[in-house]
Amino acid sequence: MRDQINLRKSERVRARVALVTATLICILLPVLPFGGVVGYPMLLLSTLAHEMGHGLTAMLVGLEFDSFRLYANGSGVAMIGGAAGRLSLAATAAGGLIGPAVAGAVLFWLSARARLAQIAMMVFGALMLTACALVIRNVFGLVFVGTVGGSLIYAGKRFGTGIAQCTAAVLAVQMALSVFSRADYLFTRTAMTSEGAMPSDVAQLADLLFLPYWFWGVVCGAISVGVLVLGLSAFWKHTKTQSPATEG
């Protein structure tokens, strides 16, 4: 029993250390030498979360996730098909805006749980490889997502739970920061992608639901922050130091 208690305490301490370290790394990256190079894959991952948010939401509301393209400049485009009403299309547009926050919240929750974090790395990796086979339709997207997916599976099998917790913490913090660093997208009518200028997600929401685009930017931003707060609250609750009498 005492060994189990000590193990749980060790995992909680490691989770908090991983989160603090990941936060410092992600905040300092822009000012460190080669920080932009190191942070570049994180930019692409936030785009991946955004576009997959569109695609998965579309599937949840009965639409079709036809394809997805990820580009080297950090932009991406998800193509959605199927007959849909205004509310379904609006939910799909909002899903991309909230996607990185949802991903961050889930990763915060996982980073507090050593064994689950390790399993999740392999599951996420398998899902990325599945996405490569089913919906990703350009070479850059296939190479990047395939490489990340394969690396997650390998790391999940090869390394211990500590590495998994740290990886989940770094990704969680980066997803959370991307909600704020890319917040300007919430207040623009036009999205610039490698396929040209397109109506932004908030502009699509405005067209579908009539209220101004900046209103929907505020709404989606507030929901994203709320989701992240829930994820962090779950993390701190799980890693809170408990007395031996309350362990187990």
Side-chain angles (χ1 to χ4, degrees), residues 21-32 173-174 177:
T21 303
T23 302
L24 290 174
I25 290 173
C26 291
I27 290 176
L28 292 175
L29 269 180
V31 299
L32 293 175
V173 172
Q174 186 59 39
L177 290 176

Side-chain angles (χ1 to χ4, degrees), residues 140-158:
F140 180 83
L142 286 170
V143 171
F144 176 77
V145 178
T147 300
V148 173
S151 298
L152 288 176
I153 294 174
Y154 175 80
K157 290 183 176 180
R158 178 68 177 80

